[in-house]
Amino acid sequence: MIKAIFFARFHPGKGPVVVHQVPDGSIIPSSVPPHPSLIIHPPLFDFSLISEYIIPRQEFCDRLVTVCVNHQRVIGYPVCIVDESKYERNQFIFNFAVVMEEKEESAAWEMVIRKLGLLMRSLEEQSGFLSKEELDDEVESQLLLPAEDGSRGRLKAKSIYALCEMIMEDLNNYSECMIPIDDSNTLNLKLFPPRPPPPHVHGWHVPLAIVRLTALQTSAWDLTISQIIPHINGTNSVRIISQLADTDFALTRKAIQHLLYYHCILLLDIFQFSAIYAPTPDISVFLTDEAMQEECLRYVTVPDPIPSASTHPHHHRRRRSRSPSSDSPTTEALLSLSTVSTPSPTPHLASIPQTARPAPSAKLPTTIITTSTTGGPPASPTTTTTTTPPPAADPPTLDTLRTLYTTLKQGLTVRHWCAEHAARLARVDVRRLLTFGVIKGFLYRVHKYAVAEPVPTPPRRGGGGKTAAAAAAARRARGRDGGAAGGGKQSEEEEEQEKAGEEGQQQEEKKNKKKKEGREGEEGQHDAFRLAAMSSGWATPAEGPSGIAAGLRSLSLKQGNEEGGAGRGDVGSEGEAENGGSPKKSERELLPLARYLDGMHCFDEICSDLAMSEREVLGKLKGYGEVCVIHR
């Protein structure tokens, strides 16, 4: 909301001056004495402090200028028109500027001020609309021409003050204005409030429509948006929507982001009965706001199901009678035909596991079979089936909703929570109940993350050769000392020990050389594995001993099989057949999962990206090593 608007220009003799200001006295003290009943307010700021920015040099004209002074933000678009034959100093510099609070968002007003400055430039170049007006005491009597229908007519020549007044009033009250200037020019301005950029859309997000998208849809809409709209139902994730609509996943995410930008949808988490929800501190707002509780009650209550034909009172008793001459079924067949299935659970509990469903209160149908034992031909058995309909459950109350929300906590899954409150959830849509809390902000989803413990690197075994060499040198020294003491004689045993030490030293040197070559080859295999993964589109393993070691082990085994396949013959093929075509297939399957085990990717993301269920992911994590699953 703007607090003031003013028109300033460069006067040939006075310099920068404020010609018109609305309201009067908001920029500079008013020259007209106010009415005694009016309260005089001081100017919002000192104009002399920012005059050089409102009417700047020619180099800074024709561009947006924003100045903050005295906690006020001044936005203007100074315009400079050069004409040696028309203006006294060969140029005419003016500016229409608005004043607002410094903390207020100004992006929407910048576009309006720019358009206003460009329009006034065109009017000045066409007819001198601004330069012809001079300040005098008769401006108030020449503001408007009366229209024939009594409405606001076209502006007269000396009507810049009225123009500023109309712009401020219409933009503050209606966020738009349409003011006729003359027969061929009309001022049209409209405020478009800026929208924040939408958040990043992931494949596991679930869009929920908050407007009727089908009612807004037209033939001019984007094809991807038109294809995905029928599948936005509050339960399908973005990746599932992409598969059902047969659209590209990247384009689907872009379309969802576009709908999110215009506040047509909300993003939720995938609803699962294995998920955990907990209240936030804002639960106190829900407990004290009865209007929100009534809204929640209308949203989550399931209507009483309409009785079907099988449960109609006239259909509670049925009799079947057949003559013995016909193809009469046996008693077991009659029992199977007369059995009436129990009423199906309400839609909101249809997907709850059997252990979490409320205990059925309906009694099973009673089947009575009677046969005639008197003389005469044997009569066919008569079956009578009586079904007692389940009593209608009472709708939830406000106390029920408060109890259900406050019993959610960390470590309690939705499945166990439903089992504990089965009686209260008889007429409650569980998914809507939890979704309402997440949307209002007094519930949050507790996600699961997997963190793999790093595999310790074995210490390098170096220095064996140095130890053997030191031992050999010590033996030589002892031998020399013993020889000197014994008159220069050396026993055969000492000579054999010295030879054995030299041979051991040579062997240690060979081993160290092979280890060094192996480490260099391992680094080469690491680079080769990275390049192969990048070129084939596979996910490269995470940095660290765990992911890299797994990839290098699979590469070394594969290279060993290729090199020694001719020598082993059918043994390699038998090993591959036993392991599904590769001796280390399980290790290669673990590589795409390695990048998610850093504690930064929730299980929803892992299951969505890898197209696996949570049980399958947990099964694969067992073969990965020490993996810790945390909830947060």
Side-chain angles (χ1 to χ4, degrees):
M1 182 177 180
I2 57 176
K3 302 174 65 175
I5 183 172
F6 63 95
F7 166 61
R9 57 166 293 189
F10 182 82
H11 193 272
K14 301 178 182 180
V17 295
V18 177
V19 182
H20 296 294
Q21 55 182 340
V22 178
D24 196 17
S26 58
I27 308 300
I28 58 174
S30 177
S31 59
V32 180
H35 193 273
S37 62
L38 296 178
I39 301 175
I40 302 175
H41 295 282
L44 298 174
F45 52 86
D46 188 358
F47 178 73
S48 61
L49 298 177
I50 62 171
S51 60
E52 59 178 340
Y53 304 106
I54 301 301
I55 306 296
R57 299 177 183 177
Q58 186 176 355
E59 292 80 5
F60 293 96
C61 292
D62 297 313
R63 63 188 64 192
L64 203 66
V65 176
T66 302
V67 183
C68 294
V69 56
N70 196 23
H71 304 290
Q72 309 294 329
R73 184 185 299 272
V74 183
I75 307 175
Y77 189 82
V79 177
C80 178
I81 302 176
V82 179
D83 193 339
E84 299 179 358
S85 61
K86 187 175 181 180
Y87 304 112
E88 185 175 349
R89 289 199 176 185
N90 303 330
Q91 60 184 6
F92 179 70
I93 303 177
F94 68 92
N95 190 357
F96 280 86
V98 298
V99 184
M100 62 181 61
E101 290 287 346
E102 183 179 359
K103 298 180 180 179
E104 190 174 351
E105 182 63 35
S106 61
W109 291 95
E110 293 175 357
M111 301 175 61
V112 171
I113 298 303
R114 185 190 301 272
K115 184 177 180 180
L116 179 61
L118 295 176
L119 178 62
M120 291 303 167
R121 179 190 182 97
S122 300
L123 291 175
E124 175 63 24
E125 291 176 348
Q126 291 175 9
S127 59
F129 178 73
L130 302 176
S131 59
K132 288 181 180 180
E133 186 180 64
E134 297 294 336
L135 288 174
D136 54 11
D137 297 333
E138 299 179 358
V139 172
E140 292 84 356
S141 62
Q142 301 176 359
L143 290 180
L144 291 176
L145 283 174
E148 296 179 357
D149 55 354
S151 62
R152 187 166 55 186
R154 292 187 177 88
L155 296 174
K156 205 174 179 179
K158 297 181 179 181
S159 57
I160 307 302
Y161 181 86
L163 180 65
C164 295
E165 197 173 31
M166 294 176 192
I167 291 175
M168 180 176 176
E169 180 182 356
D170 291 351
L171 290 181
N172 281 340
N173 295 331
Y174 310 108
S175 298
E176 61 180 352
C177 66
M178 186 178 66
I179 305 173
I181 303 297
D182 51 30
D183 295 335
S184 57
N185 294 286
T186 302
L187 178 62
N188 291 292
L189 300 175
K190 184 175 178 62
L191 281 173
F192 292 94
R195 301 177 184 271
H200 193 66
V201 178
H202 299 282
W204 67 90
H205 283 153
V206 177
L208 174 65
I210 57 178
V211 298
R212 293 187 179 275
L213 297 175
T214 55
L216 301 176
Q217 187 177 2
T218 63
S219 58
W221 278 30
D222 181 72
L223 294 178
T224 304
I225 297 180
S226 301
Q227 285 183 291
I228 67 174
I229 280 179
H231 306 287
I232 298 178
N233 55 4
T235 58
N236 293 332
S237 63
V238 175
R239 190 172 293 275
I240 296 299
I241 291 174
S242 174
Q243 297 173 0
L244 295 176
D246 194 17
T247 55
D248 182 69
F249 178 64
L251 294 179
T252 303
R253 288 172 51 189
K254 205 73 173 178
I256 295 293
Q257 205 169 16
H258 190 77
L259 295 175
L260 195 64
Y261 177 77
Y262 288 103
H263 301 289
C264 295
I265 60 175
L266 294 174
L267 290 182
L268 303 174
D269 297 313
I270 299 176
F271 178 77
Q272 297 175 347
F273 284 96
S274 60
I276 300 175
Y277 291 85
T280 65
D282 293 337
I283 188 66
S284 59
V285 177
F286 174 79
L287 297 177
T288 56
D289 192 348
E290 293 187 1
M292 186 183 297
Q293 295 176 18
E294 293 287 347
E295 180 186 359
C296 178
L297 188 65
R298 293 191 300 269
Y299 182 67
V300 305
T301 302
V302 175
D304 193 8
I306 301 175
S308 59
S310 60
T311 60
H312 195 271
H314 296 287
H315 295 271
H316 287 167
R317 184 178 296 273
R318 296 184 302 176
R319 296 180 181 272
R320 294 177 182 269
S321 178
R322 299 216 180 167
S323 61
S325 59
S326 60
D327 297 332
S328 59
T330 60
T331 305
E332 291 79 2
L334 286 173
L335 286 172
S336 62
L337 286 173
S338 62
T339 303
V340 180
S341 60
T342 57
S344 60
T346 53
H348 67 290
L349 294 176
S351 56
I352 303 179
Q354 189 68 28
T355 57
R357 295 181 185 174
S361 58
K363 297 181 179 180
L364 293 176
T366 304
T367 303
I368 303 175
I369 302 177
T370 59
T371 56
S372 177
T373 57
T374 60
S380 61
T382 302
T383 305
T384 302
T385 303
T386 304
T387 304
T388 305
D394 296 332
T397 61
L398 298 181
D399 293 335
T400 302
L401 296 181
R402 289 191 288 265
T403 303
L404 290 175
Y405 278 126
T406 53
T407 52
L408 291 168
K409 59 183 179 180
Q410 285 269 5
L412 180 63
T413 62
V414 178
R415 178 184 293 107
H416 294 90
W417 177 74
C418 290
E420 292 179 2
H421 304 279
R424 295 187 177 96
L425 294 171
R427 293 276 301 277
V428 175
D429 191 322
V430 178
R431 184 182 64 83
R432 285 195 170 195
L433 182 70
L434 299 176
T435 300
F436 184 87
V438 173
I439 293 175
K440 294 297 183 179
F442 59 85
L443 281 186
Y444 73 97
R445 166 80 182 279
V446 182
H447 286 280
K448 292 198 299 185
Y449 299 85
V451 181
E453 296 183 3
V455 179
T457 306
R460 295 182 178 180
R461 292 176 296 179
K466 295 181 181 179
T467 304
R475 285 194 297 271
R476 293 194 196 97
R478 288 196 302 269
R480 286 194 297 270
D481 294 341
K489 294 182 180 180
Q490 199 174 32
S491 64
E492 295 180 358
E493 296 180 356
E494 292 177 351
E495 291 179 0
E496 292 179 358
Q497 291 178 358
E498 183 177 355
K499 291 180 181 179
E502 292 177 356
E503 292 178 356
Q505 180 181 0
Q506 294 177 359
Q507 292 179 359
E508 290 291 340
E509 290 178 356
K510 291 181 180 180
K511 290 181 180 179
N512 292 335
K513 186 177 180 181
K514 290 182 179 180
K515 290 179 181 178
K516 184 177 180 181
E517 293 176 354
R519 285 195 297 270
E520 293 177 353
E522 184 177 347
E523 294 177 359
Q525 291 176 357
H526 172 270
D527 298 336
F529 178 77
R530 286 280 180 182
L531 293 175
M534 292 172 62
S535 61
S536 61
W538 296 346
T540 55
E543 294 290 346
S546 59
I548 300 299
L552 293 177
R553 282 198 302 270
S554 62
L555 273 179
S556 60
L557 287 171
K558 182 177 180 181
Q559 292 177 357
N561 291 337
E562 291 177 353
E563 293 175 358
R568 288 189 298 267
D570 297 337
V571 177
S573 60
E574 292 177 359
E576 292 178 359
E578 292 176 357
N579 294 330
S582 175
K584 288 294 181 181
K585 183 179 179 181
S586 59
E587 292 189 358
R588 286 200 297 272
E589 287 178 351
L590 293 174
L591 292 179
L593 189 59
R595 57 187 293 263
Y596 298 101
L597 304 182
D598 55 354
M600 302 300 294
H601 305 274
C602 62
F603 265 63
D604 287 352
E605 179 182 359
I606 299 174
C607 297
S608 177
D609 291 351
L610 301 182
M612 294 189 299
S613 64
E614 184 174 332
R615 181 175 298 178
E616 294 175 348
V617 173
L618 291 174
K620 287 185 176 293
L621 290 179
K622 293 179 181 178
Y624 195 81
E626 295 293 335
V627 179
C628 179
V629 178
I630 61 176
H631 296 78
R632 63 179 182 183

